[in-house]
Amino acid sequence: MTSQACPSCGRAQTQRSLCHDCQRWPQQAFYNQALFTYNEAMQAYFEQYKFKGDYRLRAVFRAVLMARLASLQPAIVVPIPVTANTMVTRGFNQVTGWLSDGENSGWLKTKHQTKAVPQSQKKRQARLLTPQPFELTGAGPDLTAKTVVLVDDVYTTGRTIRHAADLILENGAKSVIGLTLAR
């Protein structure tokens, strides 16, 4: 993330101020940090790791991601879940692949087993209109007054991570920090 990034989503820009996208989101106790800019090299990485299933590539960014997590000192780390169908098809959640212990990966779940159209194939407006895809199971940690870090792969429109943040904030968290590999 550059020092000139949007303080709310991590988008690289020429000045440190809310980007046009973030000015349209309701203000809440959430912000995102993106470690890298989504560019051709990052696109090639995700194509090989996430879409072609090369699980060995999880190690490429693990150290930098874990170092940033350590610097944030969260009470709870939560990976964004994938649908059960994605787990069967791909065989892994690309986000939990980066995390050393699969932190808290069981209680934030997707409501549906499959998606009619994957997020990666949707245009911006369709992404923004996506209804809340997540739910909490009863087996989760106490969120009351805690800082939670949500880890995801790419912040595109912010809809997915903000849905998860909304749910976590509604259930008592003090604040939610998004940590994405790319923006």
Side-chain angles (χ1 to χ4, degrees), residues 40-52:
E40 287 181 24
M42 194 60 72
Q43 183 179 13
Y45 168 78
F46 281 115
E47 177 66 27
Q48 192 65 32
Y49 175 51
K50 182 176 175 178
F51 298 112
K52 292 185 178 174

Side-chain angles (χ1 to χ4, degrees), residues 84-153:
N85 188 52
T86 299
M87 286 297 292
V88 169
T89 305
R90 186 183 305 143
F92 64 95
N93 175 333
Q94 70 278 5
V95 177
T96 57
W98 295 320
L99 301 174
S100 59
D101 298 320
E103 289 89 343
N104 294 300
S105 59
W107 60 271
L108 176 66
K109 294 189 175 272
T110 56
K111 290 180 182 178
H112 306 289
Q113 298 298 316
T114 61
K115 293 180 184 178
V117 178
Q119 284 292 96
S120 61
Q121 294 178 9
K122 291 180 183 178
K123 300 274 188 226
R124 176 180 172 69
Q125 195 58 33
R127 286 175 186 239
L128 291 173
L129 294 174
T130 302
Q132 175 62 270
F134 303 114
E135 61 188 357
L136 298 180
T137 65
D142 178 18
L143 300 173
T144 307
K146 303 237 171 69
T147 297
V148 176
V149 172
L150 277 170
V151 182
D152 202 2
D153 53 3

Side-chain angles (χ1 to χ4, degrees), residues 157-174:
T157 62
R159 180 68 279 173
T160 300
I161 202 164
R162 286 175 181 272
H163 269 315
D166 289 345
L167 189 58
I168 289 169
L169 288 166
E170 288 167 8
N171 282 276
K174 175 179 71 174

